[in-house]
Amino acid sequence: EGTAMGKHFGNLARVRHVITYSLSPFEQRAFPNVLSHGVPNAGRRFASQVLKVVPPLAIGYLIYSWGDQEFERLKRKNPADYEHEQ
């Protein structure tokens, strides 16, 4: 216990006079407030992040679609180059 190397996870710090209470996983409800609390909270968190996420994605998509169209346009041969051939 005296050396730093020999400690296991859980004995990393010695704490005295602290009492912790816990409930067995079998006694607690897994999803107590999903509909009443979780859904509005998820909506609020989603809304708070929309303005950070959507503009870069939209710009990236516009650049991608423009590049795709430009690539297809440049792939085609120009018919004017072949007008005078037999």
Side-chain angles (χ1 to χ4, degrees):
E1 276 290 14
T3 64
M5 296 298 288
K7 292 191 178 185
H8 295 289
F9 225 95
N11 296 336
L12 293 177
R14 312 252 343 239
V15 180
R16 294 171 184 253
H17 311 300
V18 173
I19 302 171
T20 58
Y21 297 93
S22 62
L23 193 63
S24 160
F26 300 105
E27 290 184 65
Q28 52 193 341
R29 293 175 18 233
F31 302 104
N33 296 323
V34 167
L35 292 177
S36 63
H37 183 70
V39 172
N41 190 38
R44 179 188 57 76
R45 289 169 53 188
F46 176 79
S48 72
Q49 297 296 320
V50 163
L51 291 176
K52 293 181 193 170
V53 176
V54 170
L57 286 177
I59 291 168
Y61 175 75
L62 289 173
I63 292 172
Y64 171 79
S65 65
W66 170 82
D68 212 34
Q69 289 170 354
E70 187 70 0
F71 174 69
E72 292 296 330
R73 186 181 71 78
L74 292 173
K75 255 190 347 188
R76 295 195 194 93
K77 293 180 179 178
N78 182 3
D81 294 341
Y82 302 99
E83 278 177 355
H84 303 294
E85 291 187 10
Q86 295 290 329

